[in-house]
Amino acid sequence: MTGSPVSRGSLHPLALVVSLIAVAVVAFLGGLASADAADEYGALAQPTWAPPSWLFGPAWGVLYLLMAIAAWLVWRVQPSFGGRAIQLYTVQLLVNLSWSPLFFGLELRGIAFGVIVLLDVLVVATIAAFWAVRRSAALLLLPYLGWILFASALNYSVWILNA
């Protein structure tokens, strides 16, 4: 960038920090919504294939890190909030954030199921958009997609078993 004291390349580390902070905020807020509900969740009827509750925190930690890196990789190619890939990523992140309060805090498991199905669709769209920009970023989102598809089935099962 001619005439600019800050080059685009120097903004990449800052973009990574912003991406990490964004997922950390979502993780923190989602954790707040579910922390008090851990005992109540454990008391709900669960399918036999439900993972132990201690697995969710570490799994989400890894997934959020991969998501942040993926978004950063896309940002490096298209450093703009106007790009479709980053817009989809932002929307899916907000939908992700809305799920925990619905499922845990408000105990609206049927509505939470609808939200997580929407999240499934948005993540697939985000992966497709990331693929068009940077394939490695799209690949980093595949574990996230697998986990939320599993979480969708678990949400549905818990909802039906406790209706």
Side-chain angles (χ1 to χ4, degrees):
M1 292 169 67
T2 308
S4 173
V6 178
S7 72
R8 285 177 62 184
S10 68
L11 294 177
H12 293 316
L14 178 60
L16 178 58
V17 170
V18 169
S19 187
L20 289 166
I21 289 171
V23 296
V25 167
V26 170
F28 175 75
L29 294 175
L32 284 179
S34 58
D36 293 338
D39 292 335
E40 295 163 15
Y41 176 75
L44 293 171
Q46 306 251 344
T48 57
W49 45 269
S53 59
W54 62 262
L55 181 64
F56 290 95
W60 275 111
V62 170
L63 294 171
Y64 281 133
L65 177 62
L66 292 175
M67 291 164 59
I69 293 168
W72 174 66
L73 289 172
V74 168
W75 183 267
R76 290 187 64 175
V77 176
Q78 292 182 341
S80 165
F81 287 110
R84 180 174 178 261
I86 293 298
Q87 287 175 348
L88 279 168
Y89 176 80
T90 302
V91 170
Q92 72 77 31
L93 201 58
L94 293 171
V95 171
N96 175 313
L97 175 60
S98 73
W99 182 85
S100 289
L102 290 169
F103 186 88
F104 292 109
L106 299 173
E107 299 179 10
L108 298 172
R109 293 183 180 85
I111 294 172
F113 177 68
V115 167
I116 203 167
V117 169
L118 173 61
L119 180 61
D120 295 337
V121 171
L122 287 168
V123 171
V124 168
T126 301
I127 290 170
F130 276 25
W131 185 264
V133 176
R134 187 150 185 185
R135 291 181 178 168
S136 58
L139 294 173
L140 287 173
L141 293 183
L142 291 179
Y144 175 43
L145 176 61
W147 183 259
I148 63 164
L149 289 171
F150 174 78
S152 298
L154 183 59
N155 181 156
Y156 179 79
S157 295
V158 170
W159 173 39
I160 296 303
L161 289 171
N162 293 279

